[in-house]
Amino acid sequence: MNYIEYRKKDIEKKTAEMHIYPVDILITGITGAGKSSTLNSIFEQNIAKVGTGVNPETMDINEHKLSKLTRFWDTPGLGDGIEKDKIHSKKIIDFLYKTYEKNNIRYGFIDLILVIIDGSSRDMGTTYNLLNKIIIPNISKDRILIAINQCDMAMKGRHWDSINNKPDETLTKFLDEKAYSIQKRIKESTNINVKLPIYYSAYYKYNIHKLMDLIIDNIPTQRRTIKI
């Protein structure tokens, strides 16, 4: 699927309402959640280097422009140690306060944040820290989106229908329950109501269109003002 043209008219309408081009989406999450592989699936080419094992590839915040209407920013993952997390956290926070000025009003450069969760792991501690300490204090909650990657590995690889490239009935039920559970756990941990997370597999390019729908449906209609 060509995501450059995907729902182009919807994006044009929303960005026109906001009077801004392009819409800027910051992608974040723990190391190994699949931020770079997600971008590669959206762009349908290897634009971002994917780490292997526990070694992260993204050490800086990198720009990836999908079209004149949509731009993504790939951030360093958290969970690589206290000192590295401090450095990466500061980079993300500083970037959230990157601004531009129009008609004497200062606006935030980033319009949306997409937090990617590793669907193969039950450990949400680092993700909660990311939300509580970095994201929630620095951007309004209605600009925060959650998505679950690696849904093919959610049951340790079982019940993934490799012939049809999708979860079977058992895995689909498990993933639906996992999405509701994560939504509930985020509410309990952070006290914010996030939209129901969608699940996808960047590796198998499954449900990437739903990931794009999540982003497009939640493009804000107003710019993000920053008080200095």
Side-chain angles (χ1 to χ4, degrees), residues 103-120:
N103 298 327
N104 295 319
I105 301 175
R106 193 169 293 277
Y107 296 104
F109 187 75
I110 293 300
D111 303 299
L112 280 173
I113 291 186
L114 174 64
V115 181
I116 297 178
I117 294 173
D118 179 2
S120 66

Side-chain angles (χ1 to χ4, degrees), residues 31-50:
T31 296
K35 298 182 297 298
S36 296
S37 59
T38 296
L39 284 167
N40 290 342
S41 292
I42 292 172
F43 281 75
E44 298 184 300
Q45 56 181 304
N46 293 327
I47 59 157
K49 193 173 181 182
V50 179

Side-chain angles (χ1 to χ4, degrees), residues 40-160:
N40 290 342
S41 292
I42 292 172
F43 281 75
E44 298 184 300
Q45 56 181 304
N46 293 327
I47 59 157
K49 193 173 181 182
V50 179
T52 57
V54 295
N55 296 317
E57 283 297 341
T58 306
M59 300 304 291
D60 293 302
I61 297 176
N62 300 312
E63 173 189 5
H64 302 288
K65 195 169 186 178
L66 183 63
S67 69
K68 68 177 183 179
L69 299 172
T70 314
R71 179 165 50 190
F72 293 89
W73 298 87
D74 190 12
T75 65
L78 298 186
D80 294 319
I82 295 174
E83 292 306 314
K84 284 187 178 180
D85 280 0
K86 285 181 181 178
I87 295 170
H88 297 334
S89 297
K90 186 177 186 304
K91 286 181 181 178
I92 295 171
I93 292 170
D94 288 347
F95 200 72
L96 286 176
Y97 281 91
K98 181 178 179 179
T99 62
Y100 63 95
E101 194 169 304
K102 188 175 179 66
N103 298 327
N104 295 319
I105 301 175
R106 193 169 293 277
Y107 296 104
F109 187 75
I110 293 300
D111 303 299
L112 280 173
I113 291 186
L114 174 64
V115 181
I116 297 178
I117 294 173
D118 179 2
S120 66
S121 173
R122 292 185 177 182
D123 183 10
M124 292 282 290
T126 305
T127 299
Y128 294 147
N129 286 335
L130 171 65
L131 286 165
N132 275 321
K133 296 180 180 180
I134 300 172
I135 296 175
I136 293 172
N138 299 299
I139 197 168
S140 58
K141 60 185 179 181
D142 58 322
R143 295 176 185 264
I144 302 170
L145 304 175
I146 310 291
I148 306 165
N149 187 22
Q150 302 182 63
C151 71
D152 52 296
M153 295 300 296
M155 296 184 75
K156 299 182 179 179
R158 299 191 301 270
H159 299 288
W160 179 261

